[in-house]
Amino acid sequence: MFAPYRDVLRTPGAPSFTGAGFVGRLPISMISLGIVLLETSKGVSYGVAGTIAASFAVAAAIGGPVVSGFIDRHGQHRILPFAVAAYTVFMVALLVSLDMGSSLWLVIPLAVGAGMMMPNFGSLVRARWAYVLPGSDGIHVAYAWESILDEVVFVIGPPLATVLALQVHPTAALIVCVLLVLVGTTWLVPQRRTEPAPHGKSKRVGRPAILQPGMPLVFVAFVFIGGIFGSFEVVTVAFAQEQNATSATGVLLAIYAFGSLLAGFAYGAMRSPEFHGRRMTLMLSVMAVVTLGFPLAPNVTVLAPVALLAGLSVSPVLISGTALVERIVPNAQLTEGITWTSTGMALGLAIAAPVSGVIIDSRGAHVAYLVTAGCALAACAASWAGSREVHRAEVRALEIIAAKAAGTV
């Protein structure tokens, strides 16, 4: 199972850029929690803290594709330092403002500025994989590897943020987030040999990445996938509390992440499918069926195996979805295209989490799991609705690849 991963990680420069990407994107699982922990430690309500965190998340979802578009045109080594410098200024100002108890009229614009300028390291690294493994089956394994690292990020990040904020200093989690992005950037930028060549303004003619054939419906599917994640985390916390099993919250969330981690290893070792869109639709169908078990689970004991089964469907969906985008989006827009998947998930998370909270308050956590199940069904429906268009886009992409290989293009 591990041999395919060893093979792709032997690619010259790969261990270094994937390591830098891991360090740089670790803060995505820490910043929102760090904001909430800092604010609540000062007696601020969860509602206000959540508003600030949501402002950052939504801004990151909007700004990510914009920054990535500039990176596609001008190169990672040119744009990334400026974006990270702006992110650092906004984050330091936000941290100081939060610590001083400044008004929301000041805090929210700073959170928006920091979110808008935060680079999407996941898309930067995946673009490098596509560059160093062009037209190779190894790209399937490489994307699986990055999906595994994404899961590790969300397993390590929240506990780390909690320990830093509660046992070191309320601002420590956010300070570490700034430092991690700086370290990741300083590590990644000098690696010019694996950096995709900038495509310049001349290659920007035509529709943006999000409007490429097949991409709108892929984006919609990722919005609902984000809704699954956002609602599941919030509802699981409340469900454990209702069951007088608060101590089981972390275990349930870890089981879900472990299922995805396990599936990621296995899926990456499998042969790459001919059509990633079909595989994504198939795995979303599995996810929709399994996720129906959440609102049916009567207690924590039953919920645990349901969470494990549901987690097993996560990584295959994300890996096949990313590989699909890599195939149907032109190379000149690849970083931007991959970033749109993260943007979709961020938007879905930002919407589903508060909706779930409202239902928890009015009807209870058991009913709120219907949001999780509903998002899974909607993601599956969106994927099926767009399956023909996505398949045609993949066929056209494969025809272009074959023509290039034959020297007719």
Side-chain angles (χ1 to χ4, degrees), residues 1 6 17 43 54 85 118 154 168 207 228 288:
M1 180 182 294
R6 287 198 302 268
F17 72 68
M118 184 173 183
F154 281 95
V168 179
R207 64 186 75 186
I228 298 170

Side-chain angles (χ1 to χ4, degrees), residues 181-382:
V181 170
L182 289 172
V183 170
T185 302
T186 304
W187 188 359
L188 184 65
V189 167
Q191 299 180 46
R192 299 288 299 278
R193 289 178 57 192
T194 58
E195 179 186 347
H199 295 285
K201 295 182 180 179
S202 61
K203 295 285 186 75
R204 187 63 179 175
V205 178
R207 64 186 75 186
I210 188 61
L211 297 181
Q212 293 293 334
M215 274 298 293
L217 286 167
V218 172
F219 174 74
V220 171
F222 269 89
V223 171
F224 287 113
I225 291 169
I228 298 170
F229 302 155
S231 60
F232 173 74
E233 183 171 340
V234 172
V235 180
T236 298
V237 172
F239 184 76
Q241 291 177 342
E242 289 181 0
Q243 296 288 317
N244 295 317
T246 305
S247 60
T249 301
V251 175
L252 290 170
L253 296 176
I255 287 174
Y256 187 68
F258 176 74
S260 179
L261 191 68
L262 188 64
F265 270 114
Y267 187 79
M270 294 169 58
R271 182 178 179 181
S272 177
E274 182 180 5
F275 295 106
H276 298 293
R278 289 178 176 176
R279 182 64 61 83
M280 178 181 171
T281 300
L282 174 63
M283 295 312 303
L284 278 173
S285 301
V286 173
M287 178 183 283
V289 172
V290 178
T291 306
L292 288 173
F294 286 136
L296 299 177
N299 52 51
V300 169
T301 303
V302 176
L303 185 64
V306 173
L308 178 63
L309 288 174
L312 289 172
S313 65
V314 172
S315 280
V317 167
L318 299 182
I319 295 166
S320 56
T322 304
L324 171 62
V325 172
E326 187 268 337
R327 178 171 287 174
I328 65 177
V329 172
N331 287 336
Q333 299 172 306
L334 184 54
T335 308
E336 179 187 351
I338 295 175
T339 301
W340 274 112
T341 63
S342 301
T343 293
M345 286 193 291
L347 288 176
L349 190 150
I351 295 170
V355 169
S356 300
V358 170
I359 296 176
I360 290 169
D361 291 337
S362 60
R363 301 293 300 276
H366 203 81
V367 176
Y369 269 129
L370 290 173
V371 176
T372 309
C375 286
L377 290 170
C380 178

Side-chain angles (χ1 to χ4, degrees), residues 87-119:
Y87 159 82
T88 302
V89 171
F90 277 114
M91 277 296 294
V92 170
L94 173 63
L95 193 154
V96 172
S97 298
L98 291 174
D99 195 42
M100 294 176 60
S102 301
S103 168
L104 282 178
W105 295 107
L106 175 61
V107 169
I108 288 182
L110 293 175
V112 169
M116 289 285 290
M117 300 310 300
M118 184 173 183

